[in-house]
């Protein structure tokens, strides 16, 4: 079992680790390092209100209250009731079902609390595990986004994946 919780100031080191992990830049849409100051400011200024911030990030914890990852909704559009999903499970906690459980909890939150109509993810086609996970979780692979992600040296194709709630 696991739970999702709000980001706390004590999560600064985790956020710093994830945001500055260059191996994740290859499969996501971020490819710049973030300073501790910037991340501290983000945590301090976040209202934890998706309507105000247009995003919400939550920590994924296991039964022992150990942090195993982070999940977020970004690019929130209240007009169209959709948001982009992002998820990172820490390396030593992968392949244990946490991503699947975290996404289920996120779907429940998105539907019951903020009444979203759809979620989407931009997934690097080379990230076979993420493509398989999102398909398993009910996302359909839509358009191929040619040369969508840049890893600092070369461009990579991505899939736009959608799930209707």
């Amino acid at each position: 079992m696991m739970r999702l919780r709000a980001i706390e100031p004590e999560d600064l080191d985790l956020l710093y680790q994830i945001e500055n992990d260059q191996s994740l830049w290859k499969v996501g849409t971020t490819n710049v390092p973030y300073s501790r100051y910037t991340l501290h400011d983000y945590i301090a200024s976040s209202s934890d209100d998706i309507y105000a911030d247009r995003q919400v990030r939550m920590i994924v914890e296991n039964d022992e209250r150990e942090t195993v990852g982070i999940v977020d909704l970004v690019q929130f559009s209240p007009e169209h009731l959709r948001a982009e999903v992002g998820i990172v499970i820490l390396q030593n906690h992968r392949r244990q079902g946490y991503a699947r459980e975290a996404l289920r909890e996120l779907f429940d939150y998105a539907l019951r609390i903020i009444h979203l109509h759809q979620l989407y993810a931009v997934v690097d086609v080379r990230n076979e595990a993420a493509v398989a996970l999102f398909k398993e979780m009910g996302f359909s692979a839509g358009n191929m986004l040619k040369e969508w992600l840049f890893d600092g040296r070369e461009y990579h194709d991505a899939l736009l994946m959608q799930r209707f709630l």
Side-chain angles (χ1 to χ4, degrees), residues 105-125:
E105 289 293 316
L106 187 69
F107 297 164
D108 184 59
Y109 170 79
L111 181 61
R112 282 188 322 102
I113 306 301
I114 51 180
H115 312 290
L116 292 184
H117 172 64
Q118 68 176 295
L119 298 172
Y120 68 94
V122 176
V123 183
D124 189 317
V125 295

Side-chain angles (χ1 to χ4, degrees), residues 5-28:
R5 66 164 175 81
I7 290 182
E8 300 288 348
E10 295 79 18
D11 297 314
L12 177 61
D13 288 340
L14 170 73
L15 199 55
Y16 184 80
Q17 172 191 346
I18 288 173
E19 293 294 348
N20 291 294
D21 182 346
Q22 291 186 18
S23 69
L24 297 174
W25 296 357
K26 298 174 189 170
V27 295

Side-chain angles (χ1 to χ4, degrees), residues 2-19 42-43 48 56-62 65-73 86-90 93 98 101-103 105-106:
M2 50 70 48
R3 73 180 190 119
L4 301 179
R5 66 164 175 81
I7 290 182
E8 300 288 348
E10 295 79 18
D11 297 314
L12 177 61
D13 288 340
L14 170 73
L15 199 55
Y16 184 80
Q17 172 191 346
I18 288 173
E19 293 294 348
Y42 165 76
I43 292 171
D48 292 325
V56 63
R57 301 180 115 188
M58 292 178 270
I59 300 297
V60 181
E61 286 186 342
N62 63 16
R65 301 238 187 250
E66 180 183 17
T67 299
V68 299
I70 190 168
V71 64
D72 51 28
L73 295 172
I87 185 167
V88 174
I89 300 298
L90 299 174
H93 295 287
Y98 292 120
E101 285 187 58
L103 287 174
E105 289 293 316
L106 187 69

Side-chain angles (χ1 to χ4, degrees), residues 124-141:
D124 189 317
V125 295
R126 299 168 304 154
N127 190 346
E128 294 173 7
V131 170
L133 172 68
F134 281 107
K135 283 183 178 178
E136 177 186 335
M137 298 305 296
F139 282 73
S140 59

